Amino acid sequence: MIHFKLKNHLQGDKQIWWILLLLSLISIVVVYSSVSALAYRKTDGNTEFFLLKHTFFLLIGLSITFIIHKFDFTQYAGLAHVFLWFTPFLILYTLMFGISVGGARRWVSILGFSFQTSDFVRLVLITNLSAMLARRQHIEYKANDLWIMIFWSGLIVGLLSISSFSTSVILGITCFLIMWIGRVPNRFLVRMVIVLVVGLASILTLGLVVKRATGTELGRVQTVIDRTESFINKDLDGDDAVGGEHGSVSEQKNYALIAIARGGIFGIGPGNSSQKNILPDAFSDFIYSILIEEWGLIGGMVVMGLYLWLLYRGVWNIENTKRAFGGLLSVGLTLSIVLQAFAHMFINVGLGPVTGQTLPLISMGGTSALFTSVAIGIVLSVTKNVDKA
């Protein structure tokens, strides 16, 4: 009876519902295992407090996904178009008056609700870009329309890079892929790449100029430069690399690699990680390392497979949805989630500089998980109108 009721209410792609459920269950287990050090610092070792808090946010996220997927996804286009005009001002407001966390102003509080600006901006830009492209799928693209898309993408990605460079790169790649899938002529794709690269390079250059002229840093730009140099120069030790209250970035990478090496093929078992007490933010920025340490390479491959499965379902909807907007929106949102996931995994295994990217739907987090839930809800709303498979 319960199964019958859920089948009637949970609409859309059932495979995505299963992916969401599996990632949520994995998240509960891994977060509970990885918060011990945080619990001793904050709640005298009460790990159950963080378990309940995280589970509560996951349930709220699932509820949001359920509510969002009930609405017609076409309604979000008009709402996102209105929000698009406010996003540059929201980013600027965050840079000047936002809440500083980890040395960067990425958070803003509106009516008592605090959230990362990048999470909101990503949803708005992807939805608008998908809508703009969808209107031109059956007619010839006009140069003016394409330049408008490039302008908005370059403006928002450039502004976002000041406080969150890695997030802006992921968003820029997502925008490029949406336009490529949307059959934008190659000459405009090349121009978009030039705009994005020049814009991001200009931000980095401006950061260096400001640093040398005034001795101050432009948001996180200098940190990005230092961490990239640390990644390229493997000889940097803890004193030379970018430091912090939890040790240098090179030390953090070493701890993450130690965790992965200890995990081996089958892992050392849930709750048995030793590096979770050493790694900073083991429950968020380095949760994939802890997952491999406890669940082994097999566990890591299973999680990676779930994200690839999610991407496959998002891409599948392009060919099967009845509306171009739905297909582009589905693939755009799933791409943004999966690209962030792979950025996190690559960083954890030493294939990229440490940038603080969390693992979507698994890392412990509040509002970030809620925005991801909104994105999944929109994708499920799209899948209500596709051919069954």
Side-chain angles (χ1 to χ4, degrees):
M1 181 63 70
I2 294 176
H3 173 73
F4 178 76
K5 290 181 178 179
L6 285 176
K7 186 176 180 180
N8 289 338
H9 291 289
L10 298 181
Q11 300 173 327
D13 193 329
K14 298 300 187 293
Q15 295 188 38
I16 293 180
W17 278 113
W18 275 111
I19 295 168
L20 181 59
L21 176 62
L22 290 172
L23 287 174
S24 297
L25 292 175
I26 292 172
S27 175
I28 292 174
V29 175
V30 180
V31 167
Y32 182 54
S33 173
S34 61
V35 295
S36 55
L38 177 66
Y40 278 106
R41 293 199 306 267
K42 301 291 186 179
T43 59
D44 296 325
N46 184 8
T47 53
E48 284 73 19
F49 169 81
F50 291 99
L51 172 64
L52 293 174
K53 179 180 178 182
H54 181 61
T55 303
F56 172 76
F57 270 105
L58 286 177
L59 292 175
I60 293 295
L62 289 171
S63 300
I64 290 175
T65 298
F66 177 79
I67 293 171
I68 293 294
H69 102 290
K70 284 291 187 179
F71 292 93
D72 187 343
F73 68 90
T74 57
Q75 298 178 8
Y76 301 121
L79 190 61
H81 182 68
V82 174
F83 284 140
L84 181 64
W85 292 93
F86 292 97
T87 51
F89 301 103
L90 179 61
I91 297 173
L92 291 173
Y93 176 84
T94 304
L95 291 172
M96 293 184 290
F97 307 108
I99 302 170
S100 180
V101 177
R105 296 185 184 274
R106 299 176 180 174
W107 292 73
V108 66
S109 180
I110 298 178
L111 300 176
F113 178 71
S114 299
F115 61 93
Q116 284 197 73
T117 304
S118 59
D119 293 326
F120 174 76
V121 166
R122 181 165 50 182
L123 275 174
V124 171
L125 181 58
I126 291 174
T127 304
N128 275 280
L129 193 57
S130 300
M132 293 177 189
L133 288 167
R135 287 193 291 267
R136 293 289 174 181
Q137 285 303 292
H138 302 294
I139 58 178
E140 186 178 355
Y141 279 111
K142 293 182 179 179
N144 184 55
D145 295 328
L146 293 171
W147 277 116
I148 290 175
M149 298 179 202
I150 294 173
F151 166 78
W152 279 110
S153 300
L155 175 65
I156 292 176
V157 168
L159 289 174
L160 197 60
S161 67
I162 299 175
S163 62
S164 184
F165 190 84
S166 58
T167 301
S168 69
V169 171
I170 293 172
L171 182 57
I173 294 173
T174 302
C175 291
F176 173 83
L177 290 174
I178 294 174
M179 293 183 72
W180 177 66
I181 294 170
R183 303 186 184 124
V184 169
N186 289 336
R187 64 183 184 277
F188 284 98
L189 291 176
V190 172
R191 293 168 188 175
M192 182 178 184
V193 171
I194 293 173
V195 168
L196 292 176
V197 171
V198 170
L200 294 176
S202 299
I203 293 294
L204 288 175
T205 303
L206 180 60
L208 287 173
V209 171
V210 171
K211 170 83 171 183
R212 293 173 179 173
T214 66
T216 60
E217 295 181 2
L218 180 61
R220 298 284 286 178
V221 172
Q222 185 61 37
T223 303
V224 171
I225 296 172
D226 291 340
R227 291 187 176 184
T228 303
E229 289 177 349
S230 174
F231 171 71
I232 295 173
N233 185 359
K234 300 296 184 180
D235 296 327
L236 281 176
D237 57 26
D239 295 325
D240 295 327
V242 183
E245 60 177 319
H246 301 290
S248 70
V249 170
S250 58
E251 288 174 341
Q252 294 172 22
K253 289 193 300 182
N254 288 337
Y255 296 144
L257 293 176
I258 290 172
I260 292 171
R262 292 187 76 244
I265 302 296
F266 301 103
I268 59 177
N272 294 324
S273 168
S274 63
Q275 299 305 303
K276 65 184 180 182
N277 299 317
I278 305 174
L279 272 169
D281 301 324
F283 47 85
S284 57
D285 294 358
F286 291 98
I287 199 167
Y288 191 64
S289 298
I290 303 303
L291 186 149
I292 294 180
E293 183 181 9
E294 296 187 345
W295 294 16
L297 180 62
I298 292 177
M301 293 299 291
V302 167
V303 169
M304 183 181 294
L306 287 173
Y307 286 110
L308 290 174
W309 185 13
L310 176 62
L311 180 60
Y312 165 72
R313 297 310 296 177
V315 173
W316 177 83
N317 286 312
I318 295 178
E319 299 297 332
N320 295 277
T321 187
K322 298 175 182 177
R323 299 176 180 176
F325 173 51
L328 292 168
L329 184 59
S330 174
V331 74
L333 292 176
T334 51
L335 267 172
S336 68
I337 295 171
V338 174
L339 285 175
Q340 181 183 339
F342 272 83
H344 172 96
M345 290 186 280
F346 285 175
I347 291 166
N348 275 236
V349 301
L351 295 179
V354 178
T355 58
Q357 288 293 331
T358 57
L359 190 57
L361 301 171
I362 291 184
S363 292
M364 188 175 77
T367 55
S368 179
L370 300 185
F371 277 104
T372 303
S373 299
V374 171
I376 295 292
I378 295 175
V379 172
L380 286 167
S381 176
V382 172
T383 63
K384 292 190 299 182
N385 300 296
V386 300
D387 298 327
K388 303 299 182 183

